[in-house]
Amino acid sequence: MNPLEQPVLVAPPYRLRPFTAADVPVVQEASSDPPIPAITTVPASGSRQAALAFIERQHQRLVDGTGYSFAIADSSSDQAVGQIGLWLKNLSQGRASIGYWVAPSHRGKGAASSALGALAAWGLAQPGIHRLELYVEPWNEGSWRAAERSGFVREGTMRSWLEIGGQRKDMYMYSRLPAR
Ligand SMILES: CC(C)(COP(=O)(O)OP(=O)(O)OC[C@H]1O[C@@H](n2cnc3c(N)ncnc32)[C@H](O)[C@@H]1OP(=O)(O)O)[C@@H](O)C(=O)NCCC(=O)NCCS
């Protein structure tokens, strides 16, 4: 893999593309939804400066090899509605993970499912990736439904897997493997 090259992926009616400074409003909207800053690096402050710093960090992910961070954008208007990332921390073991959010005003229209399906297919076609993982809190039905719609299978509950907001949380473990 060459993390210095980031493709644009089709995910009709969306596309996955790098973030630009024009995406500040969607980052600010995400800041206003407390679960997103709690589980991602989206800033809680919502200032323009903090949103621009978030966007710059997304570009840096590619440079430092952490992974690929995409804006989920409407194909027609190019308006960003959310974010999805493929993270490579465990690439040496053949595993990658995916995380995502969709801004509140754009939910319930299939953005997460479309983006997840496209990124999973692309990720599993990359050399060295044999398994994709997602971790979802059990209450987060929108997220695990998007995962299941995109071919991810629930493997079980990882007890006390993560600390979120100062509390240990159980998480569902989902995975998707290449088609055999
Ligand atoms: C979870 C989240 C990404 C879903 O995004 P979305 O674009 O609205 O999801 P989709 O429109 O693709 O919906 C996926 C499925 O979940 C269902 N769904 C969506 N929101 C739901 C909710 N709040 N409760 C129950 N089901 C929901 C949809 O009906 C759809 O079901 P279907 O496949 O059976 O038709 C979004 O709510 C979000 O960003 N939440 C905050 C951040 C977060 O939780 N990220 C994921 C961390 S694991």
Side-chain angles (χ1 to χ4, degrees), residues 33 35-36 39 100-103 106-114 135-137 139-143 145-146 149:
D33 183 32
I36 298 181
I39 59 171
Y100 44 88
W101 52 260
V102 173
H106 298 286
R107 290 182 188 159
K109 298 175 187 162
S113 307
S114 303
Y135 322 102
V136 185
E137 281 189 83
W139 62 264
N140 199 344
E141 185 174 348
S143 183
R145 277 184 179 270
R149 184 170 275 278

Side-chain angles (χ1 to χ4, degrees), residues 136-138 154-161 169-174:
V136 185
E137 281 189 83
R154 189 189 302 171
E155 297 182 326
T157 305
M158 313 299 285
R159 296 181 300 158
S160 191
W161 180 252
K169 300 285 185 182
D170 295 349
M171 305 291 274
Y172 288 155
M173 164 72 84
Y174 276 87

